[in-house]
Amino acid sequence: LEHGEKGIGDGMVSYGLADDDMLMHNWNASIIGPANSTHDGRIYSVKVFCSDRYPEEAPQLRFTTRINLPNIVGADGRVNMGALSHWRRDGSIATVLGELRNAMATPTNKRLPQPPEGSSY
């Protein structure tokens, strides 16, 4: 928990428990968009839900800030990506958030047009 609240790696990804959730199910996360991309300088908010079966079961992630990425399914910002569909018990929220940020910087995704800054799902 402390690791995520202080920021992961270079501080471009962070997460923390939402609303003093004693069951540790609901988390808020932030991802700062990678430089030299259409995400550059944008702050994306992500809701994370971990069931009672976490870490055996993957967390569920949903962007609340609008974003255009192939990993986003549906109109509510749900995330569907390899780190979630091929979940392993040794995975973590930090790993998934880092992979999302990395996905923003891929040659294809870093040029995708983005919704207006500040728009939400």
Side-chain angles (χ1 to χ4, degrees), residues 2-26:
E2 184 177 336
H3 175 72
E5 288 179 338
K6 290 183 178 178
I8 300 165
D10 58 5
M12 296 295 155
V13 174
S14 65
Y15 63 95
L17 202 52
D19 303 322
D20 297 322
D21 182 350
M22 297 302 289
L23 298 175
M24 299 180 76
H25 288 240
N26 296 294

Side-chain angles (χ1 to χ4, degrees), residues 60-99:
Q60 298 170 21
L61 282 78
R62 184 178 66 81
F63 276 89
T64 57
T65 307
R66 279 199 167 288
I67 187 169
N68 180 19
L69 279 178
N71 315 61
I72 308 306
V73 295
D76 63 353
R78 281 178 292 125
V79 175
N80 181 17
M81 59 186 290
L84 296 173
S85 58
H86 298 95
W87 184 255
R88 293 180 19 198
R89 187 185 195 300
D90 61 348
S92 69
I93 295 171
T95 302
V96 175
L97 293 171
E99 287 192 23

